[in-house]
């Protein structure tokens, strides 16, 4: 008589699991399908009357990329958990030097973000990729993927919006300008009163004292962030040291009290250390972090000292990668850091949100543990809690939508007809010079796959700063100390200081596998289960070995394969200048030239040493953005991290038998690399133009 009773209980147990973990995800999926969609035919696009660089775009068009208007607008306005500034602050904030809104279309456009008009999904007319987020009951302005991965290319009065294209944005300049505006609010009584009055009218704050307190907090956060990530070389437009900033935010939020105390003792007096840590417990919350920064940041010199001790140099800016085919890759990022199988896409996108101001409430906690109890250590064991604002539900959905995005075709009705004879000749040259690293794919096929071809630094010869930084730097492990992280060739034990790649891997995995603390219990756990199942079983890309000529990881050097750069398919490459991973070559034509001019005056073409960046106007002949004739940012390839060396296939005369390798560059950034010229024959000017015509057609 007992057996049926047991079966009855088991049946009810399965029913309960279904109610909790299967039905809610189905409801969530159905609810998402019924979301209010914004199908504005213009996709919210608008132009400005006066462009800071003199660009002209009287009308905006969208090229065919397999996205409908509602898909573009959803991509622009779907939050991922980025919390840069209180939302009402951003709505009313004025520019530092004049009483004009900081978010005015002209000012936003000057930083090369894309202004938008008001639509149903964007009622406050925020720029592309700027969005309202809510975390723990408070509204914030933050970024979406679209801020850095939506492009506009102009040609003779027509602006072409490119979904998934690399933005021309100057995020470094934007954040400096935002900080200056907030500093003016903090320090100028008349500006502050006008700001407080405007914020109070919007109704999110209950008192002026709360507004003033947040003015102080967020001005300090922005100021310290800019100092921590200060680079000796300005990034300029169309690039950012995203990894450096992601790493630094990770290092900042891993610190525990003991390690912070040890670091502070290296740079401050005993009295200053005591004052900085007064009332701070072992776990350092976001509020504690604000207190510590306020107490330590009495001078910029003190913050700079902490930067040198705690953080890495953010001196390796790279171009924003284009996103079409990203979901079909085996490995992503310029140096192949991110595997795209399994949970890889969620981890990659989580790292991105960490970098763009996700709220991170990481701390050490205790949980019930049967193992700990049986070992005689009590009911609980110490664990790391990874609570954050990161919206893994939306990150997964964004990645899913990107599977449908296709590269833009050269629009002949706007940019002119392509020469089919030259294309045929160029295709032969592409097969000889390019295809071994840049595979040709059917960009319209839903079954396409993209194999990243990795090339070690010594062979490719391009600026090594970004790749080297990802391997060479160590950071304090803090709350992760003594934990293990898989590295493909075995587990890495995290010591007091550990490789930053290992720390980021461990932290992102922790966030991905943590249910959203900002949601109710049932929704939190059902969404978590749904996301994990979808990510693991819905991802058609599986973990696989890297391809190419790179230094393999070993147990002694578990991250050496990251000292390489990726060659990917080049479909849509015409819309993605400037070129090379660090944006150091303005056009594709220049990329087919040597980095140093030959001595022969009859063939004196070479890559420009200094050129302008900032214009969106396309040079349709050389294929790249206009790089002279206006007041823009001077890109100087002689500076650290800016080298335009390497990738010299077809640009040099091959060396003869027994000749030594010919140096192709003497720029500061890569003097440590042995230079080896390509054995491919040097391209003639006609061949360069033919190859360029074929690249336009991809």
């Amino acid at each position: 008589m007992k057996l049926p009773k047991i079966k009855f209980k088991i049946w009810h147990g399965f029913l309960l699991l279904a109610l909790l973990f299967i039905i809610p995800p189905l409801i969530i999926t159905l609810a998402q399908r019924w979301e209010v969609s914004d199908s504005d035919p213009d996709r919210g696009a608008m132009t400005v009357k006066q462009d800071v660089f003199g660009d002209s775009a009287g009308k905006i068009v969208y090229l065919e990329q397999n996205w409908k208007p509602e898909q573009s607008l959803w991509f622009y306005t779907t939050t991922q958990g980025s919390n840069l500034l209180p939302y009402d602050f951003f709505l009313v904030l004025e520019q530092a030097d004049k009483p004009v809104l900081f978010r005015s279309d002209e000012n936003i456009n000057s930083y090369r973000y894309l202004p938008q008009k008001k639509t149903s999904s964007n009622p406050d007319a925020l720029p592309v990729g700027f969005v309202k987020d809510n975390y723990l009951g408070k509204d914030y302005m933050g970024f979406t993927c679209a801020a850095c991965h939506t492009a506009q290319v102009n040609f003779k009065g027509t602006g072409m919006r490119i979904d998934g294209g690399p933005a021309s944005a100057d995020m470094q300049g934007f954040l400096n300008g935002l900080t200056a505006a907030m500093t003016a609010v903090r320090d100028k009584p008349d500006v502050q009163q006008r700001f407080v009055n405007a914020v109070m009218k919007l109704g999110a704050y209950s008192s002026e004292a709360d507004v003033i307190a947040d003015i102080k907090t967020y001005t300090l956060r922005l100021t310290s962030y800019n100092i921590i990530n200060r680079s000796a070389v300005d990034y300029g437009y169309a690039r950012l040291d995203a990894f450096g900033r992601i790493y630094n935010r990770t290092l900042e939020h891993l610190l525990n009290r003991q390690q912070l105390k040890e670091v502070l003792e290296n740079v401050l007096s005993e009295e200053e250390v005591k004052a900085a840590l007064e009332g701070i417990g072992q776990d350092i919350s976001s509020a504690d972090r604000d207190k510590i920064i306020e107490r330590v940041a009495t001078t910029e010199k003190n913050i700079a000292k902490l930067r040198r001790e705690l953080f890495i140099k953010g001196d390796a800016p790279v171009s924003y990668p284009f996103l079409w085919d990203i979901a079909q890759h085996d490995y992503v990022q310029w140096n192949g850091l991110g595997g795209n199988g399994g949970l890889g896409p969620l981890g990659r996108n989580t790292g991105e949100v960490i970098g763009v101001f996700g709220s991170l409430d990481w701390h050490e906690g205790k949980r019930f543990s049967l193992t700990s109890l049986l070992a005689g250590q009590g009911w609980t064991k110490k664990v790391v809690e990874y609570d954050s604002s990161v919206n893994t539900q939306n990150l997964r959905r964004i990645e899913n939508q990107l599977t449908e995005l296709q590269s833009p075709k050269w629009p002949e009705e706007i940019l002119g007809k392509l020469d089919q004879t030259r294309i045929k000749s160029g295709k032969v040259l592409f097969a000889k010079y390019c295809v071994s690293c840049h595979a040709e794919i059917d960009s319209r096929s839903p079954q396409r796959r993209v194999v990243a071809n990795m090339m070690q630094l010594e062979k490719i010869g391009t600026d090594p700063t970004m790749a080297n930084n990802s391997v060479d730097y160590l950071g304090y492990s803090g709350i992760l100390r003594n934990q293990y992280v898989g590295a493909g060739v075995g587990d890495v034990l995290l010591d007091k200081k550990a490789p930053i790649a290992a720390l980021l891997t461990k932290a992102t995995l922790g966030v991905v596998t943590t249910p959203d603390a900002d949601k109710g219990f049932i929704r939190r756990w059902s969404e978590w289960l749904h996301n994990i199942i979808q990510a693991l079983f819905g991802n058609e890309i599986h973990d696989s070995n890297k391809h190419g000529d790179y230094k393999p990881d070993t147990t002694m050097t578990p991250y050496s394969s990251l000292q390489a750069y990726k060659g990917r398919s080049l479909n849509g490459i015409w819309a993605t200048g400037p070129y090379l991973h660090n944006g150091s070559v303005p056009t594709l034509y220049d990329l087919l030239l040597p980095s140093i001019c030959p001595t022969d005056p009859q063939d004196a073409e070479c890559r420009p040493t200094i050129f302008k960046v900032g214009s969106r106007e396309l040079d349709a002949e050389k294929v790249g953005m206009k790089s002279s004739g206006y007041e823009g940012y001077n890109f100087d390839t002689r500076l650290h991290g800016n080298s335009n060396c390497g990738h010299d296939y077809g640009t040099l005369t091959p060396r003869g038998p027994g000749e030594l390798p010919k140096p192709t560059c003497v720029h500061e950034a890569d003097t440590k690399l042995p230079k080896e010229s390509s054995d491919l024959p040097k391209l003639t000017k006609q061949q360069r133009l033919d190859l360029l015509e074929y690249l336009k057609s991809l």
Side-chain angles (χ1 to χ4, degrees), residues 62-117:
Y62 272 81
L63 305 184
E64 173 54 45
Q65 292 186 259
N66 200 40
W67 273 7
K68 299 175 182 177
E70 52 267 33
Q71 290 176 288
S72 295
L73 288 164
W74 184 87
F75 180 64
Y76 301 163
T77 58
T78 294
T79 180
Q80 55 182 356
S82 170
N83 300 330
L84 173 60
L85 201 67
Y87 188 71
D88 289 355
F89 279 27
F90 185 71
L91 290 184
V92 304
L93 182 66
E94 297 172 355
Q95 297 173 44
D97 56 351
K98 54 187 175 183
V100 177
L101 286 179
F102 186 84
R103 66 186 182 100
S104 70
D105 293 336
E106 288 72 23
N107 194 49
I108 288 297
N109 183 65
S110 72
Y111 296 115
R112 279 324 193 216
Y113 292 103
L114 297 170
Q116 290 282 89
K117 66 183 180 181

Side-chain angles (χ1 to χ4, degrees), residues 162-183:
I162 312 292
D163 281 332
S168 299
D170 175 15
M171 180 176 278
Q172 184 184 45
F174 172 85
L175 291 173
N176 287 336
L178 190 68
T179 304
M182 286 296 297
T183 301

Side-chain angles (χ1 to χ4, degrees), residues 587-652:
T587 70
L588 286 176
Y589 182 83
D590 292 319
L591 189 58
L592 300 176
L593 299 174
S595 53
I596 295 178
C597 278
T599 55
D600 183 356
Q602 294 182 344
D603 190 15
E605 286 189 297
C606 56
R607 299 173 189 173
T609 302
I610 299 175
F611 59 93
K612 297 288 186 182
V613 179
S615 175
R616 295 190 180 113
E617 189 70 17
L618 183 72
D619 182 338
E621 294 183 7
K622 291 187 174 182
V623 189
M625 302 308 164
K626 183 180 177 182
S627 58
S628 63
Y630 62 94
E631 292 298 321
Y633 169 76
N634 278 330
F635 193 114
D636 190 337
T637 63
R638 299 168 297 183
L639 300 178
H640 176 75
N642 283 6
S643 172
N644 67 352
C645 301
H647 197 281
D648 52 14
Y649 312 108
T651 67
L652 300 172

